[in-house]
Amino acid sequence: MGSLNVGNLGEYLREQRRHAQLSLRQLADAAGVSNPYLSQIERGLRKPSADILQQLAKALRISAETLYVQAGILDERDRDEVETRAAILADPSINERQKQVLLQIYESFRKENAAETDTEAEPAAAGEEKHHTN
């Protein structure tokens, strides 16, 4: 599944553009891409780079990670994290500064929990080795 599923990406982009109430031309201008190029992406004829996806995400006010998942650039197992980040970024009831603070807290919790999981796994593995050698 290494190839990009540009058809689904195009459909998703079109849906996001319509949700943002932007015309094709408005989004192309905001993202700094040509109107024909954006049209080709939406129709699944072009495979945009990660940089172009980032520009489109910024213009749509959605997370670039969400587009990376749609394009197959970001692994599916990261989807939960991406969806959480996207939900925070899309929430109209909090301002940009608050969104960034929430994302920083979320990331710190993820790192803390990953470190705890790694620490718990090490003694268990060591205990298993001792158990097997006896």
Side-chain angles (χ1 to χ4, degrees), residues 4 49-51 53-54 63-74:
L4 295 183
S49 68
D51 288 341
L53 290 173
Q54 189 170 15
S63 75
E65 289 89 355
T66 302
L67 290 184
Y68 295 160
V69 168
Q70 288 294 321
I73 294 172
L74 192 61

Side-chain angles (χ1 to χ4, degrees), residues 114-129:
E116 286 176 9
T117 302
D118 290 346
T119 306
E120 291 170 3
E122 288 173 13
E128 286 174 13
E129 288 172 15

Side-chain angles (χ1 to χ4, degrees), residues 17 22-32 38 42 56 59-60:
R17 177 175 58 77
L22 293 171
S23 70
L24 193 72
R25 186 172 307 282
Q26 288 171 321
L27 178 56
D29 289 346
L38 179 56
E42 284 194 1
L56 289 167
L60 289 167

Side-chain angles (χ1 to χ4, degrees), residues 69-122:
V69 168
Q70 288 294 321
I73 294 172
L74 192 61
D75 198 320
E76 281 291 323
R77 66 176 173 253
D78 297 329
R79 185 179 285 275
D80 287 344
E81 178 186 355
V82 169
E83 288 175 352
T84 301
R85 290 173 169 277
I88 291 169
L89 291 169
D91 189 334
S93 67
I94 57 177
N95 66 38
E96 289 303 313
R97 184 189 60 78
Q98 292 167 331
K99 290 175 185 180
Q100 292 308 313
V101 170
L102 265 177
L103 288 172
Q104 289 171 356
I105 292 168
Y106 175 66
E107 188 59 34
S108 72
F109 283 151
R110 287 180 53 83
K111 286 180 182 173
E112 179 181 315
N113 291 343
E116 286 176 9
T117 302
D118 290 346
T119 306
E120 291 170 3
E122 288 173 13

